[in-house]
Structures are given as C-alpha cells and as structure tokens.
Amino acid sequence: MATSAPHIVEECRGVLLVYSNGAVVRSENPSFPVPVHDDGSVEWKDVQFDPINNLSLRLYKPRHVTSKLPIFFYFHGGGFCIGSRTWPNCQNYCFRLASELPAIVIAPDYRLAPEHRLPAAIDDSIACLLWLQKQAAGFNSDPWLLDYADFKRVVVSGDSAGGTIAHHLAVRFGSASGRADLEPVQIKGYVQLMPFFGGVERTRSEAECPKDAFLNLELNDRYWRLSLPIGTNFDHPFANPFGQDSPPLEPVEFPPTLVVVGECDLLTDRSVDYAKRLKQLGKPVEVAEFKGQQHGFFTINPWSESSAELMRMLRRFIEDVSARSG
C-alpha cells in the first residue's frame, strides 16, 4: 500500500518546519539575518544556567563601569517556537540596553515548542531567576555579577512571548513566599513589550490585522497551536491570564509594571485590556503606546527614533522603581 512522503504542515518564518510525520526541522540560521553592530563599548559572554537542559544566557555589561548597575532581564520573543539569545536582532537590542540604560543585561534562552510545549519556557525562565538568586548568595558567582551588578535593583522584561513570560514570573514571585525564594535578589519592576497573550474570542486588532503584517493572525495562531499543551485552546492559562481556568490575579502582589504596545500590532487590544483589568484590581500597571509601530519594532530596528524613545522610557522606569523602598 503506497504511503505519501512526509510534507510540511507548519512553518514559522522559514526557520522551523513541522512535518506530517511529526518530524521537526530547525534551521541554524536566524530568521532576521541583520548585521551585528558591536562597537566595543559593551562586553558580552555566554554563561550556562541550566546544565540539565543545556540552557545558557548571554550576559552584557558596559566596558567601563564605575558603580554597581541594575540588572535588566530580556526574554526574547518568537511565539515560544523560535528565537534565541544569539540572534543578531536580539544582540543589537541588548547592546543598546546595556549601553544606554546602563545596566547589566541578562538575555536567557529557554526550551522551544513544539519539541518542548508550555510550560517548558516558563519553567526555564523561573529557573533562570533562581540561578540569579544563587549568584547573589555567592554560589559559584560570576565575577561580572559579583563586581558590577546590584542584586537589589532587578527589572524583568520580555518581548512578545518573553512579555508573556514576564507576566508568569510576576505571578510566580508575586507573594511573600515568592520573594523569599529570590532573596537577596529584589525584583523592582516588570516590562512587558507587546506581550503575546491569546484567547478564543478575537479582539478588534486581531480581526482587523492585515495579512502582510509582521505578525499576522495566521502566524499568531500557528505559534499557539505549536506551543500550548495538546488538546487545549487559546483560553488556556498559559495564553490567557483571564481565561476561565486561569488563576485569580487579585492575590498577586505585582511590582510596578510597564506594558508597551504598538499602534499597528495585532496584540495591542489584548495587551491594553490586560493592563486595564490589572489596574481595576489595584495593580500598579501603566501602558505606553507607540504610534504607527508594528510588533517588535525595537528589535527589527533598534537604532530608530522610536527605539531611542523606548530606551529613554526604560531608563526612566528603572530610575523610578529603583527609588522605591522595599
């Protein structure tokens, strides 16, 4: 009996192919082959934080440091399916973060779907924060962190899927026991950059998203199909913080949180609604909208004027949250 050859059933930006027989093929090349702009003003190195899963992070610091600097986490995007700390668009963005905030920047990798469906990425990100706790407690501490980082001034940020990770980290560590797990590390705030939330019911910005958008509805849905647990829908708690089965957020003690959205991003309505509902719960959440900007504008072109304004905004945010007691 003849059988058909395996064929592609899912494709993500040319770097992830899923075949009808279940095989997954990943390209070693990034989906954003842009030049790396390394002017030497920022040093960087890779550090393994999870030997069991062979996960590493990329650590950045300004070359000339005269005082302890805040720690700024950057969890990359890619719909939980693609992306890496090594991709040049991420590296360019982290160069600018380290230089202009200035800060010690930590850019971790995490396991990707569909080989590792959620909650793998969330679990890995929790493990990375717990790794930082061990660093602060003096367990085989990296000299860059020991000499130049202020463990009491930590801001956790993420882009797209990384923004969703930031939400789940805020929930995990948003209690007295959660904060105790991180001592002496103190998370002062969170920045969700165009967070990748989902839901069964379409928002207006999703329904009206042009097909030629950088992140369109077809790709958005494909990411969720590949990353959520098999047999679940887009209202799963990993995707929708306000889904029927999602844990209540009233008890979560959110630090100050900045949600950044782009006017032309299909995720905008969902992100604005997320912030609005948290604010109604009394959480310290603010929204900043960038007019005319699409999804991920700050990594697509980290040297644009809009990206420069984002850097200024992030610097003010770090200064503001660092000044708060507790």
Side-chain angles (χ1 to χ4, degrees), residues 181-203:
D181 289 341
L182 290 178
E183 283 290 342
V185 170
Q186 292 184 14
I187 300 178
K188 291 290 191 178
Y190 287 87
V191 179
Q192 298 182 18
L193 301 160
M194 302 178 167
F196 181 55
F197 293 129
V200 171
E201 185 178 346
R202 297 296 190 199
T203 67

Side-chain angles (χ1 to χ4, degrees), residues 111-134:
R111 287 172 292 168
L112 299 174
E115 304 96 318
H116 305 282
R117 290 176 178 264
L118 292 168
I122 298 168
D123 291 343
D124 296 340
S125 303
I126 291 170
C128 192
L129 286 187
L130 294 174
W131 169 87
L132 184 67
Q133 184 276 330
K134 290 187 173 113

Side-chain angles (χ1 to χ4, degrees), residues 207-228:
E208 297 181 356
C209 179
K211 289 185 178 181
D212 62 352
F214 177 73
L215 176 63
N216 60 31
L217 196 57
E218 181 183 2
L219 184 57
N220 176 85
D221 290 358
R222 185 178 302 140
Y223 284 146
W224 283 127
R225 283 197 306 272
L226 292 172
S227 62
L228 286 172

Side-chain angles (χ1 to χ4, degrees), residues 22 24 63 76 83 110 151 164 180 195 227 234 245 270 301 313 322:
V24 176
R63 185 169 295 278
H76 69 77
Y110 47 84
F151 293 102
T164 315
S227 62
F234 297 175
D245 298 323
R270 203 171 288 281
N301 185 3
M313 184 180 294
S322 296

Side-chain angles (χ1 to χ4, degrees), residues 4-26:
S4 61
H7 59 277
I8 296 170
V9 292
E10 303 279 14
E11 178 272 331
C12 297
R13 298 206 187 279
V15 297
L16 170 64
L17 303 176
V18 181
Y19 285 82
S20 55
N21 64 353
V24 176
V25 176
R26 290 186 178 274

Side-chain angles (χ1 to χ4, degrees), residues 35-205:
V36 173
H37 296 280
D38 184 356
D39 63 4
S41 63
V42 172
E43 297 178 282
W44 61 273
K45 63 181 176 180
D46 289 327
V47 178
Q48 189 178 68
F49 71 90
D50 182 349
I52 294 175
N53 292 307
N54 192 29
L55 292 171
S56 295
L57 55 83
R58 187 154 287 183
L59 197 59
Y60 298 81
K61 78 170 187 68
R63 185 169 295 278
H64 303 292
V65 181
T66 57
S67 61
K68 296 268 188 177
L69 295 175
I71 296 171
F72 192 88
F73 274 90
Y74 171 66
F75 289 94
H76 69 77
F80 297 110
C81 296
I82 63 173
S84 169
R85 75 189 192 284
T86 65
W87 282 14
N89 61 312
C90 293
Q91 190 155 8
N92 286 334
Y93 178 62
C94 289
F95 280 144
R96 192 163 190 183
L97 287 170
S99 177
E100 296 189 25
L101 293 181
I104 304 298
V105 175
I106 299 177
D109 273 342
Y110 47 84
R111 287 172 292 168
L112 299 174
E115 304 96 318
H116 305 282
R117 290 176 178 264
L118 292 168
I122 298 168
D123 291 343
D124 296 340
S125 303
I126 291 170
C128 192
L129 286 187
L130 294 174
W131 169 87
L132 184 67
Q133 184 276 330
K134 290 187 173 113
Q135 294 285 303
F139 291 97
N140 197 25
S141 302
D142 186 277
W144 283 12
L145 293 172
L146 203 60
D147 295 341
Y148 304 115
D150 184 348
F151 293 102
K152 296 188 181 301
R153 287 192 295 155
V154 178
V155 171
V156 176
S157 84
D159 156 25
S160 194
T164 315
I165 286 172
H167 163 79
H168 288 288
L169 291 174
V171 173
R172 166 61 178 84
F173 296 107
S175 64
S177 61
R179 289 189 295 275
D181 289 341
L182 290 178
E183 283 290 342
V185 170
Q186 292 184 14
I187 300 178
K188 291 290 191 178
Y190 287 87
V191 179
Q192 298 182 18
L193 301 160
M194 302 178 167
F196 181 55
F197 293 129
V200 171
E201 185 178 346
R202 297 296 190 199
T203 67
R204 180 176 176 179
S205 61

